Every structure is written in structure tokens, then in C-alpha cells.
Amino acid sequence: MKQRNSWRKNVYILAVCNSFTAASYTMIVPFLPLYLMELGADESDVAVYSGFVYAVTFLIAAIMAPIWGKLADSKGKKIMGMRAVVMLAITYLVGGFVSSPEGLFGMRIIQGFANGFMPMAMTMGSCFSPQSEIGYGLGIIHSGMIFGSVVGPLIGGLVSYLVGMRNSFYVAGGALVFLSFLYWFLMDEPPTAEERALRDGEPLPKPTPASEKTAAKKTSIIDDLVYAFGNKKLLAILFIIFSTNLANYTLQPVIALHVGALVGSAGNVSLISGIVFGLGGISGAIAAAKWGKFGQSRGFFRALAYAFAGAGAFVVAQYFAPDVYVFGALQFMFGLFFMGANPAAAALLAKSAPAEFQGRAFGLSSTANQLGGMVGPLFAGFVAAAVGVAPLFVITGVTLLIYGAVMWSYREKEQ
């Protein structure tokens, strides 16, 4: 059967696509505070401005994610992935033309409607991968995303250093135009629940009241939300995903500012910030697939516990970093642990949602992601304005340690 032999090919293509989308994102978004200053924002207000510029995209994406997920279940997952890639390409090209902080805010509003490729890639990966390989398959796809997260800041910092930050938007948009052709012509449509059962040698799924209730063509968005909130395991995993992104985006908007404070006038802040961001991505790319295998064999809640605890310890240590070299080394160690959270959470999500609800489940995971991404920057902006950037590393690190302890308490309950 074709799907039996091609699932690895499709997983690897999704990993490459995730690399492109992540690179296009990270070559731009971590530097938005610096771009705001270039567009005329006052340096004393840039932390608060950054919070709103980051948050608006996540707010809109959170609202739209269940809609995109529902359309993926009813209209096809491949076409919805294409929708996200094309809209993102347009968004980044628009970003190169803005001339004010208000214009950048508008571009980020448009980007909120464009988001959704990465959760769609995880949805498709969970469909392509056999149940016995789902941790590995999602780990590979996540590794692709992390690789893109490595090269993105490096490319963005270098382009900004050589020809200006504005041109980073044009490079990102052009890369996604190329990706749209790669994706459309090489990617298969994911198998249906029946095709997956035949491939994996499992009994064909029979219509049940639950499957009828969750069929995409027979439910409204409200019905889907009611079902999700009634599924306690699914709801708990969505909260884990929210918490993970909350921690991530509490730090991401201010790392460039903190690096700038450590560097002073000794060098180009955008280039050095890109290198620091890249260090966390390098370690994450090294570790992501191994975290997927670890979760598959030892339990995904155990993997989450280790990932959160290790990441939290190194974030707290960053508060005490005396210079950018120590800070960068700690960022590398942070990425080694923190990137283990995403494939573990994705695998748990895939296991907790029925086959006919997969697209909507990952759409809701995107909503949880976006809500975390919305709250984190706003929290960071107001805390940074009140007490400075550095204390955010202690606050975030302690929070991650608490997450780790909670996940450890659930390690024996996984089935």
C-alpha cells in the first residue's frame, strides 16, 4: 500500500517545510523590538510596544485556529497547509513596506490570519505516522522546525547587519513563495482513518455515537469547543501547550533587549542576538527527535517533566550571566531541554483525540499556543516596564520548574 511505504517521505517533507516556515518566522519576529525603534518607537516605550505587536497576532490566530482546523477536517489538510504558506508569504512581503510602528502593528494583524502551518504539519504528521512511530515522526517534524529556528535568527541578523532589517522581510517572503511550490507538488494528502487502520493492521473504525458527534461536516465551532472542554485529557494537554508557549513568549520579546544591555556599544545587537537565538535552536534541533523517542519509550509526561525542569534551571541561571558569552551558553542548554516539550505534548494530543477530530484538535492546540503567545509578551512588556528585563528570567525559570514538578506527578497516569 502506498501510505505504508511513503509515510517517512511525507514526514521528511513536512520537516523541510517546517524548517522554511520557522526560518522565515525567526529571521524576523525576534528582532521586532529593534525594528520598532528603526520605525520611530521611543526606546523607553519599546518593551510595551513590543508586547502589543507580538500579542495581536496571537490573539487573532487563536480565534482563527479552530476554524482552520475544522476546515482541515472537512475540506482537506493539504489545502489548508497551502493556505497558510501563501498567506504568510504575502504577510512578510507587506512587512517590508511598512514605515511606522502602526504599520507594523497592522502587518501583525494580517499575520494572525495567516498562521497555522506548523500545527497543520503536526496534524498531517500524526496521520502519516504509524501509531508505533508517532513519537519519532512528530519528533522529526519538530526537528525541522527547530532547524529553521536555528538558521532563521542567523540569516535575519546577518541580512539586517549587511543591508538593513527591512530586507529580512523580503527574504522571508521569497523563501515562502518557493516553499509553496515544494509543498504542493511533493506532499501527499494524509490518509483517512480507514486507510490508517488498514496500513497499521488495525480493525476498521466503525461509526459510533462519538464519531458521529465529532464529524467535521456535522458540527459547529461551538459544538467542537463543547466536545473539547468535555474531554478532560484533551483539555489538560491543551493547557500544557498554552503554558509552554506562555513561558517561551514571556522571554522571546525581551531577549534581544537583554542581549543589547549585555553587549552595550561593543557590537551589532541584531547580529549578536541572532547568534544567541540560534544557539538555543541548534541544541533543540539536536535533541528534538531524541526527546520524541524518549517519550515513546519512557512516557511523554516523564519527558515533559525533564524538559520543563531542565529548561527552568537554565533560565534562572541566565539571570546571573555576567556577559553575553555565558548567556549564550546557557541559551544553548535551555534549548536542549525546552524543545523536548513540544513533541511530547503533540504526541499526547494525537493520542487523546479521535481520528475524525485530529485536525480540529491540532487547531485547538494552535489556539492554546497563540493564547500563550499573546499573554506572554503582554506580561513581559508590563513587567519589563515596571522592574526591568532581567527579573523575567527568574520568574519564567521558576514557573517552568513548577511545570516540571506537576508533569512528574502525572508520569504514572499515562496510558
Side-chain angles (χ1 to χ4, degrees):
M1 187 178 181
K2 182 180 178 182
Q3 293 293 348
R4 179 185 297 277
N5 298 323
S6 65
W7 77 268
R8 292 181 185 273
K9 181 208 77 172
N10 285 291
V11 162
Y12 292 140
I13 292 171
L14 286 169
V16 171
C17 292
N18 248 3
S19 292
F20 272 84
T21 53
S24 69
Y25 181 88
T26 56
M27 69 181 292
I28 290 173
V29 173
F31 308 110
L32 288 181
L34 305 179
Y35 195 44
L36 280 166
M37 288 190 283
E38 185 178 307
L39 293 173
D42 189 271
E43 186 173 353
S44 62
D45 297 325
V46 73
V48 174
Y49 283 166
S50 297
F52 283 104
V53 166
Y54 271 80
V56 67
T57 297
F58 294 115
L59 174 61
I60 295 172
I63 295 170
M64 293 303 300
I67 298 173
W68 299 138
K70 183 178 180 64
L71 289 172
D73 279 335
S74 61
K75 305 296 184 183
K77 297 173 177 61
K78 180 179 177 179
I79 189 66
M80 293 310 297
M82 188 67 175
R83 184 272 319 161
V85 172
V86 171
M87 289 184 70
L88 276 175
I90 294 170
T91 297
Y92 291 139
L93 293 172
V94 168
F97 288 97
V98 302
S99 58
S100 67
E102 292 79 12
L104 184 63
F105 186 79
M107 170 262 181
R108 291 284 287 170
I109 290 175
I110 299 171
Q111 189 175 354
F113 289 96
N115 273 3
F117 182 81
M118 291 184 188
M120 189 55 57
M122 299 302 275
T123 307
M124 293 171 73
S126 70
C127 293
F128 283 122
S129 302
Q131 282 297 307
S132 60
E133 299 281 0
I134 195 167
Y136 173 77
L138 295 179
I140 289 293
I141 295 170
H142 196 68
S143 289
M145 187 269 284
I146 301 306
F147 178 78
S149 299
V150 174
V151 300
L154 298 176
I155 295 172
L158 185 61
V159 171
S160 175
Y161 178 70
L162 294 176
V163 294
M165 194 171 298
R166 186 177 300 274
N167 288 293
S168 296
F169 287 86
Y170 300 132
V171 173
L176 288 180
V177 170
F178 170 76
L179 174 66
S180 66
F181 289 97
L182 176 73
Y183 171 84
W184 188 252
F185 289 108
L186 296 182
M187 177 63 57
D188 296 329
E189 182 69 34
T192 64
E194 290 78 10
E195 291 170 336
R196 290 159 64 186
L198 288 171
R199 177 200 63 194
D200 297 340
E202 297 176 352
L204 289 174
K206 296 180 180 179
T208 65
S211 63
E212 289 289 330
K213 189 176 181 180
T214 55
K217 296 180 180 179
K218 299 181 180 180
T219 61
S220 67
I221 294 294
I222 299 299
D223 292 333
D224 295 338
L225 292 173
V226 169
Y227 172 78
F229 277 89
N231 185 328
K232 293 183 179 179
K233 187 174 181 180
L234 176 60
L235 190 62
I237 295 164
L238 292 174
F239 183 76
I240 292 170
I241 293 168
F242 165 81
S243 302
T244 302
N245 225 31
L246 172 64
N248 186 33
Y249 279 95
T250 296
L251 294 178
Q252 190 172 108
V254 299
I255 285 180
L257 300 176
H258 189 62
V259 168
L262 290 173
V263 172
S265 59
N268 184 277
V269 175
S270 61
L271 180 59
I272 296 173
S273 297
I275 294 171
V276 170
F277 273 108
L279 287 171
I282 289 170
S283 59
I286 293 169
K290 295 185 183 298
W291 277 112
K293 283 191 172 183
F294 177 87
Q296 192 80 51
S297 62
R298 301 290 302 279
F300 292 110
F301 280 112
R302 187 182 296 268
L304 284 167
Y306 290 158
F308 284 141
F314 286 109
V315 169
V316 171
Q318 285 183 311
Y319 173 80
F320 301 99
D323 54 48
V324 73
Y325 301 104
V326 175
F327 185 87
L330 292 170
Q331 183 72 7
F332 180 90
M333 296 305 298
F334 164 76
L336 200 65
F337 283 88
F338 187 73
M339 294 306 173
N342 288 300
L348 285 170
L349 185 72
K351 288 176 174 290
S352 69
E356 68 278 358
F357 199 77
Q358 290 276 305
R360 283 163 289 168
F362 277 92
L364 290 171
S365 80
S366 182
T367 295
N369 252 319
Q370 308 303 338
L371 289 174
M374 179 188 72
V375 175
L378 291 174
F379 174 74
F382 286 113
V383 171
V387 299
V389 170
L392 282 167
F393 291 92
V394 175
I395 294 169
T396 304
V398 171
T399 302
L400 287 170
L401 289 169
I402 294 171
Y403 290 169
V406 173
M407 294 302 101
W408 183 256
S409 71
Y410 278 90
R411 70 192 186 283
E412 303 299 340
K413 298 181 181 180
E414 186 175 343
Q415 295 182 356

mmCIF file of all heavy atoms in Angstrom, residues 331-351:
data_model
loop_
_atom_site.group_PDB
_atom_site.id
_atom_site.type_symbol
_atom_site.label_atom_id
_atom_site.label_comp_id
_atom_site.label_asym_id
_atom_site.label_seq_id
_atom_site.Cartn_x
_atom_site.Cartn_y
_atom_site.Cartn_z
ATOM 1 N N GLN A 331 21.755 29.702 26.978
ATOM 2 C CA GLN A 331 20.684 29.612 25.985
ATOM 3 C C GLN A 331 20.761 28.292 25.227
ATOM 4 O O GLN A 331 19.738 27.674 24.911
ATOM 5 C CB GLN A 331 20.769 30.795 25.017
ATOM 6 C CG GLN A 331 19.676 30.855 23.973
ATOM 7 C CD GLN A 331 18.321 31.237 24.545
ATOM 8 O OE1 GLN A 331 18.204 31.582 25.721
ATOM 9 N NE2 GLN A 331 17.285 31.178 23.724
ATOM 10 N N PHE A 332 21.971 27.846 24.943
ATOM 11 C CA PHE A 332 22.171 26.545 24.297
ATOM 12 C C PHE A 332 21.608 25.429 25.178
ATOM 13 O O PHE A 332 20.889 24.542 24.699
ATOM 14 C CB PHE A 332 23.661 26.323 24.041
ATOM 15 C CG PHE A 332 23.986 25.018 23.368
ATOM 16 C CD1 PHE A 332 24.031 24.928 21.984
ATOM 17 C CD2 PHE A 332 24.242 23.872 24.110
ATOM 18 C CE1 PHE A 332 24.324 23.725 21.346
ATOM 19 C CE2 PHE A 332 24.533 22.669 23.495
ATOM 20 C CZ PHE A 332 24.574 22.592 22.110
ATOM 21 N N MET A 333 21.918 25.465 26.461
ATOM 22 C CA MET A 333 21.437 24.431 27.376
ATOM 23 C C MET A 333 19.921 24.504 27.558
ATOM 24 O O MET A 333 19.234 23.486 27.655
ATOM 25 C CB MET A 333 22.148 24.554 28.721
ATOM 26 C CG MET A 333 23.646 24.314 28.659
ATOM 27 S SD MET A 333 24.073 22.705 27.924
ATOM 28 C CE MET A 333 23.287 21.586 29.096
ATOM 29 N N PHE A 334 19.394 25.719 27.592
ATOM 30 C CA PHE A 334 17.946 25.895 27.688
ATOM 31 C C PHE A 334 17.246 25.213 26.513
ATOM 32 O O PHE A 334 16.281 24.469 26.688
ATOM 33 C CB PHE A 334 17.621 27.391 27.711
ATOM 34 C CG PHE A 334 16.169 27.707 27.438
ATOM 35 C CD1 PHE A 334 15.202 27.516 28.405
ATOM 36 C CD2 PHE A 334 15.777 28.205 26.197
ATOM 37 C CE1 PHE A 334 13.868 27.799 28.154
ATOM 38 C CE2 PHE A 334 14.448 28.493 25.926
ATOM 39 C CZ PHE A 334 13.498 28.298 26.911
ATOM 40 N N GLY A 335 17.739 25.456 25.286
ATOM 41 C CA GLY A 335 17.135 24.858 24.102
ATOM 42 C C GLY A 335 17.200 23.345 24.121
ATOM 43 O O GLY A 335 16.284 22.666 23.652
ATOM 44 N N LEU A 336 18.276 22.792 24.671
ATOM 45 C CA LEU A 336 18.454 21.342 24.739
ATOM 46 C C LEU A 336 17.305 20.684 25.495
ATOM 47 O O LEU A 336 16.850 19.593 25.151
ATOM 48 C CB LEU A 336 19.787 21.035 25.424
ATOM 49 C CG LEU A 336 20.410 19.660 25.204
ATOM 50 C CD1 LEU A 336 20.795 19.472 23.750
ATOM 51 C CD2 LEU A 336 21.647 19.501 26.097
ATOM 52 N N PHE A 337 16.814 21.367 26.527
ATOM 53 C CA PHE A 337 15.720 20.814 27.336
ATOM 54 C C PHE A 337 14.348 21.306 26.873
ATOM 55 O O PHE A 337 13.414 20.513 26.728
ATOM 56 C CB PHE A 337 15.923 21.168 28.814
ATOM 57 C CG PHE A 337 16.963 20.324 29.492
ATOM 58 C CD1 PHE A 337 18.298 20.702 29.477
ATOM 59 C CD2 PHE A 337 16.616 19.143 30.119
ATOM 60 C CE1 PHE A 337 19.266 19.922 30.093
ATOM 61 C CE2 PHE A 337 17.569 18.342 30.734
ATOM 62 C CZ PHE A 337 18.903 18.739 30.718
ATOM 63 N N PHE A 338 14.226 22.613 26.641
ATOM 64 C CA PHE A 338 12.895 23.172 26.389
ATOM 65 C C PHE A 338 12.250 22.599 25.141
ATOM 66 O O PHE A 338 11.030 22.400 25.097
ATOM 67 C CB PHE A 338 12.991 24.700 26.273
ATOM 68 C CG PHE A 338 11.657 25.375 26.187
ATOM 69 C CD1 PHE A 338 10.843 25.478 27.307
ATOM 70 C CD2 PHE A 338 11.200 25.905 24.989
ATOM 71 C CE1 PHE A 338 9.599 26.098 27.238
ATOM 72 C CE2 PHE A 338 9.966 26.521 24.907
ATOM 73 C CZ PHE A 338 9.167 26.630 26.033
ATOM 74 N N MET A 339 13.043 22.310 24.117
ATOM 75 C CA MET A 339 12.476 21.818 22.872
ATOM 76 C C MET A 339 11.933 20.398 22.995
ATOM 77 O O MET A 339 11.293 19.891 22.080
ATOM 78 C CB MET A 339 13.505 21.894 21.751
ATOM 79 C CG MET A 339 13.895 23.311 21.383
ATOM 80 S SD MET A 339 12.451 24.340 21.000
ATOM 81 C CE MET A 339 13.228 25.955 20.815
ATOM 82 N N GLY A 340 12.173 19.742 24.121
ATOM 83 C CA GLY A 340 11.580 18.431 24.345
ATOM 84 C C GLY A 340 10.106 18.494 24.681
ATOM 85 O O GLY A 340 9.389 17.486 24.579
ATOM 86 N N ALA A 341 9.611 19.684 25.066
ATOM 87 C CA ALA A 341 8.221 19.794 25.493
ATOM 88 C C ALA A 341 7.252 19.668 24.323
ATOM 89 O O ALA A 341 6.196 19.031 24.436
ATOM 90 C CB ALA A 341 8.001 21.120 26.226
ATOM 91 N N ASN A 342 7.582 20.253 23.187
ATOM 92 C CA ASN A 342 6.630 20.318 22.079
ATOM 93 C C ASN A 342 6.304 18.962 21.454
ATOM 94 O O ASN A 342 5.118 18.648 21.269
ATOM 95 C CB ASN A 342 7.133 21.305 21.023
ATOM 96 C CG ASN A 342 7.021 22.736 21.499
ATOM 97 O OD1 ASN A 342 5.941 23.216 21.795
ATOM 98 N ND2 ASN A 342 8.144 23.412 21.600
ATOM 99 N N PRO A 343 7.301 18.126 21.081
ATOM 100 C CA PRO A 343 6.922 16.825 20.508
ATOM 101 C C PRO A 343 6.184 15.939 21.500
ATOM 102 O O PRO A 343 5.298 15.168 21.111
ATOM 103 C CB PRO A 343 8.261 16.208 20.087
ATOM 104 C CG PRO A 343 9.311 16.961 20.811
ATOM 105 C CD PRO A 343 8.765 18.335 21.031
ATOM 106 N N ALA A 344 6.520 16.039 22.793
ATOM 107 C CA ALA A 344 5.816 15.239 23.795
ATOM 108 C C ALA A 344 4.360 15.670 23.898
ATOM 109 O O ALA A 344 3.444 14.838 23.924
ATOM 110 C CB ALA A 344 6.511 15.370 25.150
ATOM 111 N N ALA A 345 4.124 16.989 23.946
ATOM 112 C CA ALA A 345 2.750 17.481 24.025
ATOM 113 C C ALA A 345 1.970 17.126 22.762
ATOM 114 O O ALA A 345 0.788 16.757 22.831
ATOM 115 C CB ALA A 345 2.748 18.993 24.253
ATOM 116 N N ALA A 346 2.614 17.227 21.590
ATOM 117 C CA ALA A 346 1.934 16.894 20.339
ATOM 118 C C ALA A 346 1.556 15.424 20.284
ATOM 119 O O ALA A 346 0.462 15.062 19.816
ATOM 120 C CB ALA A 346 2.826 17.266 19.152
ATOM 121 N N ALA A 347 2.438 14.554 20.745
ATOM 122 C CA ALA A 347 2.140 13.119 20.745
ATOM 123 C C ALA A 347 0.984 12.808 21.689
ATOM 124 O O ALA A 347 0.093 12.008 21.360
ATOM 125 C CB ALA A 347 3.383 12.332 21.145
ATOM 126 N N LEU A 348 0.970 13.432 22.858
ATOM 127 C CA LEU A 348 -0.132 13.235 23.796
ATOM 128 C C LEU A 348 -1.449 13.722 23.186
ATOM 129 O O LEU A 348 -2.496 13.104 23.359
ATOM 130 C CB LEU A 348 0.148 13.975 25.104
ATOM 131 C CG LEU A 348 1.189 13.344 26.025
ATOM 132 C CD1 LEU A 348 1.547 14.300 27.166
ATOM 133 C CD2 LEU A 348 0.681 12.021 26.597
ATOM 134 N N LEU A 349 -1.383 14.840 22.461
ATOM 135 C CA LEU A 349 -2.581 15.369 21.824
ATOM 136 C C LEU A 349 -3.105 14.404 20.770
ATOM 137 O O LEU A 349 -4.312 14.134 20.698
ATOM 138 C CB LEU A 349 -2.270 16.731 21.190
ATOM 139 C CG LEU A 349 -3.455 17.461 20.578
ATOM 140 C CD1 LEU A 349 -4.376 17.990 21.671
ATOM 141 C CD2 LEU A 349 -2.980 18.603 19.695
ATOM 142 N N ALA A 350 -2.197 13.879 19.949
ATOM 143 C CA ALA A 350 -2.613 12.941 18.905
ATOM 144 C C ALA A 350 -3.260 11.700 19.502
ATOM 145 O O ALA A 350 -4.204 11.138 18.929
ATOM 146 C CB ALA A 350 -1.407 12.554 18.049
ATOM 147 N N LYS A 351 -2.777 11.262 20.649
ATOM 148 C CA LYS A 351 -3.323 10.065 21.290
ATOM 149 C C LYS A 351 -4.656 10.336 21.977
ATOM 150 O O LYS A 351 -5.438 9.412 22.203
ATOM 151 C CB LYS A 351 -2.316 9.521 22.320
ATOM 152 C CG LYS A 351 -1.079 8.875 21.692
ATOM 153 C CD LYS A 351 -0.089 8.466 22.781
ATOM 154 C CE LYS A 351 1.082 7.692 22.209
ATOM 155 N NZ LYS A 351 0.700 6.351 21.739
#
